[in-house]
Amino acid sequence: MGGSIVVIGSLNMDFVLAVDRLPLPGETILGHGFRVIPGGKGANQAYAAAKLAGSGPGHGTAVRMLGRVGADSFGVALKANLAGVGVDISGVLETESEATGVACIHVDAAGQNSITVAPGANGALSAGDIDSERWAIAGARCVLLQLEVPIEAVAAGLREAQRVGATSILDPAPARALPKEILQLVDIATPNENEACVLVGMPPSRVSADDATALGNKIRELGVRSVIVKLGDQGCVYCGPDRTFATPAFAMRAVDSTAAGDTFNAALAVSLAEGAEMEEALRFANAAAAISVTRAGAQTSAPARAEVDALLARIRA
Ligand code: RIB
């Protein structure tokens, strides 16, 4: 039985098109297989965490989502999808003046994507909204955050998590530089390679595992307690206060990498909330993310707990 997880972040409806290759600037290309799929980095993390934990009364770790949607049908559908897996959505508020956030996503034949987000109501999430939820954060073991909502709301969530001793896990996505005052509040940051570069003031680029360790340590010097650099099919690198180590990825045939990072963070939080050590939590997170890339879409790709346990058991056998 784990403690609860609070997710502070975005809810988007994703408009997804499959393409042979991602379009170049100024180019029109033909796509196919248009789908409308529940997404948003925050909602994806809440949805995946609930599926992995068996959320809801009488089950394992409870998951609560804090965010904002518009007063429209996308908002209703996004909330219903989260509630369907047991996420407590009473902290998802409505903004009358803005539409629910949307994302336009191209997915190419290799499963790589490009994403453009129109935040809409996500942009109205305020520090005051987070203050009203102090009671929920007070009971949380982990607080999950990303950067698709205003930085004031992220900072308020981090401050509150630190005040009550909950472990904060920040996915610094979309990539942006962050002030030291915010980084110093973060227990665990989980950048991918591009986001890690941007956090230390470098242009985004692909990096080796050795470079990722150096980047992780540089981010630690900015004040983050532990850093996990996510390297996609190369696994991840952990840089903590007293050690660094790499955890390999599971080799899978990738269909769509959308939300793999969100699933990774959700699984990491579930495992840590259940009391796992970091090595075990990272294996669990890598396994969950590996399964998610074999399926299309954001929330549609989140694995069930039994699937992750089965993959881990197969690897051990
Ligand atoms: O991380 C994937 C998510 O990024 C998508 O679901 C999209 O909504 C954007 O938030």
Side-chain angles (χ1 to χ4, degrees), residues 230-247:
K230 296 187 277 197
L231 298 169
D233 58 9
Q234 295 179 75
C236 63
V237 166
Y238 171 81
C239 304
D242 42 26
R243 65 204 167 121
T244 64
F245 61 85
T247 304

Side-chain angles (χ1 to χ4, degrees), residues 269-289:
V270 167
S271 192
L272 291 177
E274 290 175 356
E277 295 298 328
M278 188 55 81
E279 284 91 340
E280 186 187 342
L282 288 177
R283 261 195 310 277
F284 187 73
N286 271 337

Side-chain angles (χ1 to χ4, degrees), residues 10 12-14 38-42 44 102-103 105 115 117 148 258-260 262 298-299:
S10 58
N12 298 327
M13 195 55 93
D14 291 350
K41 293 188 195 305
N44 295 344
V102 293
I105 304 183
I115 303 181
V117 173
E148 284 184 339
T258 306
D262 302 329
Q299 286 165 41

Side-chain angles (χ1 to χ4, degrees), residues 64-91:
R64 182 172 172 84
M65 173 84 208
L66 310 186
R68 280 193 172 267
V69 292
D72 50 36
S73 58
F74 286 159
V76 171
L78 290 171
K79 287 197 285 184
N81 205 50
L82 290 178
V85 288
V87 176
D88 179 347
I89 54 162
S90 51

Side-chain angles (χ1 to χ4, degrees), residues 16-45:
V16 187
L17 263 183
V19 290
D20 292 338
R21 59 172 179 79
L22 301 178
L24 299 169
E27 188 184 29
T28 301
I29 61 170
L30 295 181
H32 54 93
F34 174 67
R35 289 180 71 187
V36 179
I37 298 176
K41 293 188 195 305
N44 295 344
Q45 293 186 7

Side-chain angles (χ1 to χ4, degrees), residues 146-224:
Q146 327 75 37
L147 299 177
E148 284 184 339
V149 294
I151 199 69
E152 297 75 24
V154 174
L158 287 169
R159 264 194 300 274
E160 199 49 28
Q162 187 177 70
R163 197 182 69 78
V164 299
T167 300
S168 58
I169 303 179
L170 174 68
D171 199 16
R176 57 166 282 178
L178 288 171
K180 268 193 169 183
E181 304 79 69
I182 291 198
L183 293 171
Q184 283 164 354
L185 296 167
V186 178
D187 289 317
I188 304 174
T190 60
N192 65 19
E193 47 201 336
N194 289 332
E195 292 147 8
C197 290
V198 172
L199 281 178
V200 300
M202 286 165 45
S205 72
R206 295 226 64 181
V207 299
S208 67
D210 284 347
D211 293 344
T213 306
L215 278 173
N217 283 326
K218 268 196 191 159
I219 297 168
R220 288 200 60 245
E221 283 163 21
L222 297 173
V224 177

